[in-house]
Amino acid sequence: MATALFEAREAALREDEGFAHVPVHVVPGVTAAHAASALVGAVLGGDHALVNLSDNLKRWEVLADRLTALVTRDISVALYNPRSRSRPDTLGAARDLLVDAVGRTGSSSSPATWGARRSP
């Protein structure tokens, strides 16, 4: 998120130089995607991409092109910022795009919670 913060700060500085005095401190660490993948036993090793689904800085068409390019080249993808009040359908649109891009005849996809995936 540091990149998005710095991009937003640059835009704010163009309009009001007063933001130059706002301190920004970046603490490097493990991304949520890497931590979560390790917890479920599917570590993001090898080639992978972390894709921000926020269309605040990038149009949906740009995000869709990126997702399609990644998955059609066999690169694992972790998604973050999947939706918000202003864009409640982004995650569903991404799921549909991914299924269409790599889906096989007769395959299907349906969203579920972790609780629904547990054995009784």
Tab-separated table of all heavy atoms in Angstrom, residues 10-66:
chain	number	residue	atom	x	y	z
A	10	GLU	N	1.649	12.530	-3.821
A	10	GLU	CA	2.148	13.356	-4.932
A	10	GLU	C	1.027	14.185	-5.547
A	10	GLU	O	1.205	15.365	-5.830
A	10	GLU	CB	2.771	12.474	-6.015
A	10	GLU	CG	4.226	12.152	-5.783
A	10	GLU	CD	4.801	11.384	-6.954
A	10	GLU	OE1	4.461	11.694	-8.118
A	10	GLU	OE2	5.602	10.476	-6.704
A	11	ALA	N	-0.132	13.551	-5.746
A	11	ALA	CA	-1.270	14.265	-6.321
A	11	ALA	C	-1.710	15.395	-5.384
A	11	ALA	O	-2.008	16.505	-5.832
A	11	ALA	CB	-2.426	13.303	-6.573
A	12	ALA	N	-1.734	15.124	-4.082
A	12	ALA	CA	-2.136	16.141	-3.102
A	12	ALA	C	-1.130	17.291	-3.077
A	12	ALA	O	-1.518	18.458	-2.955
A	12	ALA	CB	-2.265	15.514	-1.716
A	13	LEU	N	0.148	16.987	-3.203
A	13	LEU	CA	1.182	18.029	-3.184
A	13	LEU	C	1.053	18.984	-4.368
A	13	LEU	O	1.388	20.166	-4.260
A	13	LEU	CB	2.576	17.400	-3.170
A	13	LEU	CG	3.037	16.827	-1.828
A	13	LEU	CD1	4.344	16.071	-2.005
A	13	LEU	CD2	3.190	17.921	-0.795
A	14	ARG	N	0.581	18.471	-5.506
A	14	ARG	CA	0.395	19.339	-6.671
A	14	ARG	C	-0.680	20.389	-6.395
A	14	ARG	O	-0.653	21.470	-6.948
A	14	ARG	CB	0.039	18.514	-7.905
A	14	ARG	CG	1.247	17.795	-8.504
A	14	ARG	CD	0.926	17.225	-9.874
A	14	ARG	NE	0.039	16.074	-9.831
A	14	ARG	CZ	0.434	14.816	-9.633
A	14	ARG	NH1	1.710	14.540	-9.470
A	14	ARG	NH2	-0.433	13.838	-9.622
A	15	GLU	N	-1.633	20.047	-5.532
A	15	GLU	CA	-2.717	20.974	-5.231
A	15	GLU	C	-2.464	21.803	-3.976
A	15	GLU	O	-2.976	22.907	-3.853
A	15	GLU	CB	-4.029	20.206	-5.093
A	15	GLU	CG	-4.456	19.579	-6.407
A	15	GLU	CD	-5.817	18.929	-6.316
A	15	GLU	OE1	-6.602	19.301	-5.429
A	15	GLU	OE2	-6.079	18.044	-7.150
A	16	ASP	N	-1.702	21.250	-3.022
A	16	ASP	CA	-1.466	21.965	-1.766
A	16	ASP	C	-0.121	21.538	-1.200
A	16	ASP	O	0.024	20.413	-0.708
A	16	ASP	CB	-2.588	21.659	-0.773
A	16	ASP	CG	-2.454	22.418	0.537
A	16	ASP	OD1	-1.397	23.049	0.784
A	16	ASP	OD2	-3.405	22.364	1.332
A	17	GLU	N	0.868	22.424	-1.258
A	17	GLU	CA	2.215	22.094	-0.784
A	17	GLU	C	2.265	21.874	0.724
A	17	GLU	O	3.261	21.388	1.252
A	17	GLU	CB	3.199	23.184	-1.200
A	17	GLU	CG	3.430	23.215	-2.700
A	17	GLU	CD	4.471	24.250	-3.094
A	17	GLU	OE1	5.179	24.770	-2.210
A	17	GLU	OE2	4.573	24.519	-4.293
A	18	GLY	N	1.200	22.200	1.424
A	18	GLY	CA	1.140	21.980	2.871
A	18	GLY	C	1.271	20.515	3.241
A	18	GLY	O	1.670	20.171	4.357
A	19	PHE	N	0.947	19.624	2.308
A	19	PHE	CA	1.061	18.193	2.577
A	19	PHE	C	2.514	17.729	2.636
A	19	PHE	O	2.801	16.623	3.055
A	19	PHE	CB	0.302	17.379	1.518
A	19	PHE	CG	-1.186	17.470	1.663
A	19	PHE	CD1	-1.942	18.244	0.801
A	19	PHE	CD2	-1.835	16.773	2.681
A	19	PHE	CE1	-3.319	18.332	0.941
A	19	PHE	CE2	-3.214	16.851	2.826
A	19	PHE	CZ	-3.956	17.633	1.959
A	20	ALA	N	3.453	18.576	2.231
A	20	ALA	CA	4.871	18.206	2.240
A	20	ALA	C	5.367	17.932	3.659
A	20	ALA	O	6.339	17.208	3.853
A	20	ALA	CB	5.714	19.310	1.602
A	21	HIS	N	4.697	18.477	4.642
A	21	HIS	CA	5.126	18.306	6.034
A	21	HIS	C	4.476	17.114	6.719
A	21	HIS	O	4.745	16.858	7.893
A	21	HIS	CB	4.851	19.588	6.827
A	21	HIS	CG	5.558	20.771	6.251
A	21	HIS	ND1	6.933	20.892	6.261
A	21	HIS	CD2	5.100	21.858	5.602
A	21	HIS	CE1	7.285	22.013	5.655
A	21	HIS	NE2	6.181	22.621	5.246
A	22	VAL	N	3.638	16.384	6.001
A	22	VAL	CA	3.008	15.193	6.569
A	22	VAL	C	4.014	14.053	6.486
A	22	VAL	O	4.456	13.680	5.397
A	22	VAL	CB	1.712	14.821	5.817
A	22	VAL	CG1	1.132	13.516	6.344
A	22	VAL	CG2	0.706	15.954	5.910
A	23	PRO	N	4.419	13.509	7.636
A	23	PRO	CA	5.426	12.446	7.606
A	23	PRO	C	4.848	11.123	7.085
A	23	PRO	O	3.690	10.802	7.342
A	23	PRO	CB	5.838	12.310	9.073
A	23	PRO	CG	4.653	12.790	9.844
A	23	PRO	CD	3.997	13.839	8.989
A	24	VAL	N	5.662	10.409	6.341
A	24	VAL	CA	5.299	9.080	5.860
A	24	VAL	C	6.423	8.140	6.250
A	24	VAL	O	7.591	8.381	5.933
A	24	VAL	CB	5.105	9.059	4.321
A	24	VAL	CG1	4.821	7.636	3.852
A	24	VAL	CG2	3.987	10.001	3.916
A	25	HIS	N	6.087	7.082	6.961
A	25	HIS	CA	7.079	6.113	7.406
A	25	HIS	C	6.640	4.735	6.917
A	25	HIS	O	5.552	4.270	7.252
A	25	HIS	CB	7.174	6.123	8.938
A	25	HIS	CG	8.188	5.160	9.479
A	25	HIS	ND1	9.547	5.379	9.381
A	25	HIS	CD2	8.032	3.982	10.112
A	25	HIS	CE1	10.179	4.356	9.940
A	25	HIS	NE2	9.283	3.507	10.389
A	26	VAL	N	7.452	4.101	6.100
A	26	VAL	CA	7.127	2.792	5.540
A	26	VAL	C	7.879	1.728	6.326
A	26	VAL	O	9.096	1.814	6.504
A	26	VAL	CB	7.511	2.710	4.045
A	26	VAL	CG1	7.247	1.324	3.496
A	26	VAL	CG2	6.765	3.776	3.259
A	27	VAL	N	7.129	0.728	6.799
A	27	VAL	CA	7.723	-0.380	7.529
A	27	VAL	C	7.625	-1.616	6.640
A	27	VAL	O	6.524	-2.093	6.368
A	27	VAL	CB	6.988	-0.627	8.863
A	27	VAL	CG1	7.597	-1.809	9.601
A	27	VAL	CG2	7.000	0.628	9.721
A	28	PRO	N	8.758	-2.114	6.156
A	28	PRO	CA	8.698	-3.298	5.297
A	28	PRO	C	8.295	-4.528	6.101
A	28	PRO	O	8.543	-4.618	7.296
A	28	PRO	CB	10.131	-3.434	4.769
A	28	PRO	CG	10.972	-2.702	5.754
A	28	PRO	CD	10.106	-1.637	6.372
A	29	GLY	N	7.629	-5.439	5.432
A	29	GLY	CA	7.204	-6.650	6.122
A	29	GLY	C	6.663	-7.673	5.147
A	29	GLY	O	6.895	-7.594	3.948
A	30	VAL	N	5.916	-8.587	5.674
A	30	VAL	CA	5.316	-9.653	4.876
A	30	VAL	C	3.938	-9.181	4.435
A	30	VAL	O	3.152	-8.687	5.240
A	30	VAL	CB	5.198	-10.947	5.714
A	30	VAL	CG1	4.481	-12.038	4.946
A	30	VAL	CG2	6.574	-11.409	6.154
A	31	THR	N	3.628	-9.337	3.162
A	31	THR	CA	2.309	-8.928	2.677
A	31	THR	C	1.240	-9.851	3.228
A	31	THR	O	1.503	-11.010	3.585
A	31	THR	CB	2.235	-8.979	1.139
A	31	THR	OG1	2.306	-10.354	0.735
A	31	THR	CG2	3.335	-8.172	0.487
A	32	ALA	N	0.027	-9.353	3.293
A	32	ALA	CA	-1.104	-10.164	3.748
A	32	ALA	C	-1.282	-11.376	2.832
A	32	ALA	O	-1.629	-12.467	3.300
A	32	ALA	CB	-2.368	-9.317	3.787
A	33	ALA	N	-1.046	-11.208	1.541
A	33	ALA	CA	-1.197	-12.321	0.596
A	33	ALA	C	-0.227	-13.450	0.925
A	33	ALA	O	-0.587	-14.626	0.910
A	33	ALA	CB	-0.973	-11.837	-0.834
A	34	HIS	N	1.001	-13.107	1.250
A	34	HIS	CA	1.987	-14.139	1.580
A	34	HIS	C	1.663	-14.803	2.924
A	34	HIS	O	1.796	-16.016	3.072
A	34	HIS	CB	3.396	-13.539	1.584
A	34	HIS	CG	3.882	-13.213	0.217
A	34	HIS	ND1	3.799	-11.949	-0.303
A	34	HIS	CD2	4.429	-13.980	-0.753
A	34	HIS	CE1	4.280	-11.955	-1.536
A	34	HIS	NE2	4.662	-13.174	-1.828
A	35	ALA	N	1.251	-14.016	3.892
A	35	ALA	CA	0.900	-14.580	5.200
A	35	ALA	C	-0.299	-15.519	5.076
A	35	ALA	O	-0.293	-16.631	5.607
A	35	ALA	CB	0.603	-13.456	6.190
A	36	ALA	N	-1.338	-15.084	4.360
A	36	ALA	CA	-2.541	-15.910	4.202
A	36	ALA	C	-2.238	-17.177	3.420
A	36	ALA	O	-2.713	-18.265	3.774
A	36	ALA	CB	-3.639	-15.107	3.512
A	37	SER	N	-1.439	-17.079	2.367
A	37	SER	CA	-1.129	-18.267	1.574
A	37	SER	C	-0.341	-19.279	2.394
A	37	SER	O	-0.551	-20.486	2.278
A	37	SER	CB	-0.374	-17.891	0.297
A	37	SER	OG	0.944	-17.456	0.583
A	38	ALA	N	0.528	-18.802	3.259
A	38	ALA	CA	1.284	-19.713	4.124
A	38	ALA	C	0.364	-20.406	5.123
A	38	ALA	O	0.521	-21.594	5.399
A	38	ALA	CB	2.387	-18.946	4.858
A	39	LEU	N	-0.606	-19.669	5.650
A	39	LEU	CA	-1.536	-20.245	6.617
A	39	LEU	C	-2.372	-21.376	6.027
A	39	LEU	O	-2.713	-22.325	6.719
A	39	LEU	CB	-2.468	-19.169	7.179
A	39	LEU	CG	-1.846	-18.242	8.207
A	39	LEU	CD1	-2.833	-17.119	8.550
A	39	LEU	CD2	-1.471	-19.002	9.467
A	40	VAL	N	-2.723	-21.272	4.754
A	40	VAL	CA	-3.556	-22.315	4.133
A	40	VAL	C	-2.723	-23.353	3.389
A	40	VAL	O	-3.267	-24.230	2.728
A	40	VAL	CB	-4.633	-21.714	3.200
A	40	VAL	CG1	-5.579	-20.827	3.984
A	40	VAL	CG2	-4.030	-20.972	2.031
A	41	GLY	N	-1.404	-23.261	3.492
A	41	GLY	CA	-0.541	-24.277	2.902
A	41	GLY	C	-0.336	-24.142	1.411
A	41	GLY	O	0.005	-25.103	0.733
A	42	ALA	N	-0.553	-22.975	0.857
A	42	ALA	CA	-0.375	-22.748	-0.571
A	42	ALA	C	0.558	-21.556	-0.757
A	42	ALA	O	0.174	-20.521	-1.282
A	42	ALA	CB	-1.716	-22.498	-1.237
A	43	VAL	N	1.766	-21.706	-0.303
A	43	VAL	CA	2.724	-20.603	-0.300
A	43	VAL	C	2.920	-20.042	-1.703
A	43	VAL	O	3.060	-20.783	-2.670
A	43	VAL	CB	4.073	-21.073	0.280
A	43	VAL	CG1	5.092	-19.953	0.254
A	43	VAL	CG2	3.880	-21.569	1.701
A	44	LEU	N	2.911	-18.716	-1.804
A	44	LEU	CA	3.169	-18.054	-3.080
A	44	LEU	C	4.678	-18.065	-3.315
A	44	LEU	O	5.387	-17.158	-2.923
A	44	LEU	CB	2.652	-16.610	-3.053
A	44	LEU	CG	1.141	-16.435	-3.070
A	44	LEU	CD1	0.774	-14.981	-2.804
A	44	LEU	CD2	0.546	-16.914	-4.372
A	45	GLY	N	5.149	-19.115	-3.912
A	45	GLY	CA	6.560	-19.208	-4.279
A	45	GLY	C	6.636	-18.870	-5.757
A	45	GLY	O	5.755	-18.258	-6.293
A	46	GLY	N	7.653	-19.228	-6.430
A	46	GLY	CA	7.727	-19.042	-7.877
A	46	GLY	C	7.142	-17.738	-8.372
A	46	GLY	O	7.020	-16.758	-7.649
A	47	ASP	N	6.734	-17.734	-9.633
A	47	ASP	CA	6.167	-16.526	-10.237
A	47	ASP	C	4.752	-16.302	-9.729
A	47	ASP	O	3.923	-17.207	-9.737
A	47	ASP	CB	6.135	-16.660	-11.762
A	47	ASP	CG	7.518	-16.702	-12.369
A	47	ASP	OD1	8.450	-16.173	-11.732
A	47	ASP	OD2	7.666	-17.257	-13.471
A	48	HIS	N	4.482	-15.083	-9.300
A	48	HIS	CA	3.138	-14.703	-8.865
A	48	HIS	C	2.999	-13.190	-8.934
A	48	HIS	O	3.984	-12.475	-9.031
A	48	HIS	CB	2.836	-15.213	-7.461
A	48	HIS	CG	3.717	-14.622	-6.401
A	48	HIS	ND1	4.980	-15.095	-6.146
A	48	HIS	CD2	3.531	-13.587	-5.555
A	48	HIS	CE1	5.521	-14.384	-5.167
A	48	HIS	NE2	4.659	-13.458	-4.796
A	49	ALA	N	1.757	-12.743	-8.894
A	49	ALA	CA	1.490	-11.308	-8.946
A	49	ALA	C	0.454	-10.947	-7.896
A	49	ALA	O	-0.481	-11.704	-7.647
A	49	ALA	CB	0.972	-10.925	-10.330
A	50	LEU	N	0.629	-9.794	-7.272
A	50	LEU	CA	-0.340	-9.241	-6.339
A	50	LEU	C	-1.050	-8.127	-7.088
A	50	LEU	O	-0.417	-7.156	-7.504
A	50	LEU	CB	0.350	-8.693	-5.097
A	50	LEU	CG	1.293	-9.673	-4.380
A	50	LEU	CD1	1.955	-8.981	-3.197
A	50	LEU	CD2	0.544	-10.904	-3.943
A	51	VAL	N	-2.344	-8.266	-7.296
A	51	VAL	CA	-3.091	-7.322	-8.123
A	51	VAL	C	-4.099	-6.561	-7.271
A	51	VAL	O	-4.946	-7.161	-6.614
A	51	VAL	CB	-3.810	-8.051	-9.282
A	51	VAL	CG1	-4.613	-7.069	-10.120
A	51	VAL	CG2	-2.805	-8.804	-10.146
A	52	ASN	N	-3.992	-5.252	-7.303
A	52	ASN	CA	-4.894	-4.359	-6.592
A	52	ASN	C	-6.151	-4.172	-7.449
A	52	ASN	O	-6.063	-3.649	-8.555
A	52	ASN	CB	-4.193	-3.018	-6.361
A	52	ASN	CG	-5.031	-2.029	-5.603
A	52	ASN	OD1	-6.181	-2.273	-5.268
A	52	ASN	ND2	-4.444	-0.879	-5.331
A	53	LEU	N	-7.303	-4.604	-6.949
A	53	LEU	CA	-8.536	-4.478	-7.721
A	53	LEU	C	-9.202	-3.113	-7.606
A	53	LEU	O	-10.270	-2.901	-8.156
A	53	LEU	CB	-9.537	-5.560	-7.302
A	53	LEU	CG	-9.224	-6.973	-7.750
A	53	LEU	CD1	-10.339	-7.923	-7.334
A	53	LEU	CD2	-8.994	-7.050	-9.248
A	54	SER	N	-8.578	-2.199	-6.894
A	54	SER	CA	-9.157	-0.856	-6.795
A	54	SER	C	-9.080	-0.172	-8.146
A	54	SER	O	-8.016	-0.089	-8.757
A	54	SER	CB	-8.410	-0.018	-5.758
A	54	SER	OG	-8.868	1.312	-5.810
A	55	ASP	N	-10.231	0.299	-8.610
A	55	ASP	CA	-10.218	1.015	-9.878
A	55	ASP	C	-10.224	2.524	-9.650
A	55	ASP	O	-10.583	3.293	-10.524
A	55	ASP	CB	-11.378	0.582	-10.780
A	55	ASP	CG	-12.728	0.731	-10.105
A	55	ASP	OD1	-12.787	1.245	-8.969
A	55	ASP	OD2	-13.728	0.324	-10.711
A	56	ASN	N	-9.777	2.945	-8.462
A	56	ASN	CA	-9.659	4.373	-8.189
A	56	ASN	C	-8.499	4.991	-8.962
A	56	ASN	O	-8.566	6.131	-9.396
A	56	ASN	CB	-9.466	4.633	-6.691
A	56	ASN	CG	-10.704	4.276	-5.903
A	56	ASN	OD1	-11.813	4.371	-6.398
A	56	ASN	ND2	-10.513	3.839	-4.677
A	57	LEU	N	-7.409	4.253	-9.113
A	57	LEU	CA	-6.244	4.769	-9.824
A	57	LEU	C	-6.113	4.173	-11.229
A	57	LEU	O	-5.422	4.724	-12.080
A	57	LEU	CB	-4.964	4.485	-9.023
A	57	LEU	CG	-4.891	5.140	-7.651
A	57	LEU	CD1	-3.644	4.679	-6.902
A	57	LEU	CD2	-4.890	6.658	-7.778
A	58	LYS	N	-6.743	3.029	-11.459
A	58	LYS	CA	-6.673	2.370	-12.768
A	58	LYS	C	-8.094	1.998	-13.195
A	58	LYS	O	-8.873	1.505	-12.400
A	58	LYS	CB	-5.856	1.080	-12.683
A	58	LYS	CG	-4.490	1.207	-12.038
A	58	LYS	CD	-3.445	1.546	-13.037
A	58	LYS	CE	-2.044	1.545	-12.484
A	58	LYS	NZ	-1.744	2.441	-11.414
A	59	ARG	N	-8.418	2.211	-14.451
A	59	ARG	CA	-9.736	1.826	-14.970
A	59	ARG	C	-9.890	0.302	-14.950
A	59	ARG	O	-8.911	-0.437	-15.051
A	59	ARG	CB	-9.904	2.319	-16.403
A	59	ARG	CG	-9.940	3.818	-16.554
A	59	ARG	CD	-10.206	4.256	-18.010
A	59	ARG	NE	-9.946	3.261	-19.033
A	59	ARG	CZ	-8.798	3.134	-19.695
A	59	ARG	NH1	-7.798	3.942	-19.450
A	59	ARG	NH2	-8.657	2.208	-20.619
A	60	TRP	N	-11.131	-0.175	-14.855
A	60	TRP	CA	-11.401	-1.609	-14.828
A	60	TRP	C	-10.816	-2.292	-16.068
A	60	TRP	O	-10.274	-3.388	-15.984
A	60	TRP	CB	-12.901	-1.895	-14.729
A	60	TRP	CG	-13.196	-3.332	-15.009
A	60	TRP	CD1	-13.849	-3.847	-16.085
A	60	TRP	CD2	-12.777	-4.465	-14.224
A	60	TRP	NE1	-13.872	-5.217	-16.019
A	60	TRP	CE2	-13.220	-5.615	-14.887
A	60	TRP	CE3	-12.072	-4.604	-13.036
A	60	TRP	CZ2	-12.993	-6.900	-14.391
A	60	TRP	CZ3	-11.841	-5.893	-12.552
A	60	TRP	CH2	-12.298	-7.009	-13.220
A	61	GLU	N	-10.886	-1.653	-17.223
A	61	GLU	CA	-10.360	-2.264	-18.452
A	61	GLU	C	-8.865	-2.561	-18.332
A	61	GLU	O	-8.391	-3.588	-18.830
A	61	GLU	CB	-10.620	-1.349	-19.655
A	61	GLU	CG	-12.088	-1.185	-20.006
A	61	GLU	CD	-12.836	-0.209	-19.085
A	61	GLU	OE1	-12.184	0.592	-18.386
A	61	GLU	OE2	-14.074	-0.271	-19.062
A	62	VAL	N	-8.127	-1.698	-17.670
A	62	VAL	CA	-6.692	-1.915	-17.452
A	62	VAL	C	-6.490	-3.110	-16.525
A	62	VAL	O	-5.657	-3.984	-16.783
A	62	VAL	CB	-6.022	-0.647	-16.861
A	62	VAL	CG1	-4.584	-0.920	-16.448
A	62	VAL	CG2	-6.100	0.503	-17.855
A	63	LEU	N	-7.267	-3.163	-15.448
A	63	LEU	CA	-7.156	-4.285	-14.512
A	63	LEU	C	-7.518	-5.601	-15.195
A	63	LEU	O	-6.840	-6.612	-15.013
A	63	LEU	CB	-8.075	-4.062	-13.304
A	63	LEU	CG	-7.769	-2.836	-12.448
A	63	LEU	CD1	-8.854	-2.626	-11.411
A	63	LEU	CD2	-6.419	-2.963	-11.804
A	64	ALA	N	-8.582	-5.588	-15.995
A	64	ALA	CA	-9.015	-6.796	-16.691
A	64	ALA	C	-7.936	-7.292	-17.648
A	64	ALA	O	-7.656	-8.499	-17.716
A	64	ALA	CB	-10.319	-6.536	-17.438
A	65	ASP	N	-7.312	-6.383	-18.384
A	65	ASP	CA	-6.235	-6.769	-19.305
A	65	ASP	C	-5.076	-7.395	-18.541
A	65	ASP	O	-4.491	-8.394	-18.978
A	65	ASP	CB	-5.726	-5.558	-20.094
A	65	ASP	CG	-6.690	-5.110	-21.175
A	65	ASP	OD1	-7.621	-5.867	-21.507
A	65	ASP	OD2	-6.506	-3.984	-21.681
A	66	ARG	N	-4.718	-6.817	-17.400
A	66	ARG	CA	-3.614	-7.352	-16.598
A	66	ARG	C	-3.938	-8.747	-16.069
A	66	ARG	O	-3.107	-9.655	-16.134
A	66	ARG	CB	-3.303	-6.420	-15.433
A	66	ARG	CG	-2.643	-5.140	-15.871
A	66	ARG	CD	-2.383	-4.235	-14.701
A	66	ARG	NE	-1.782	-2.988	-15.169
A	66	ARG	CZ	-1.464	-1.984	-14.398
A	66	ARG	NH1	-1.684	-2.057	-13.095
A	66	ARG	NH2	-0.924	-0.909	-14.895
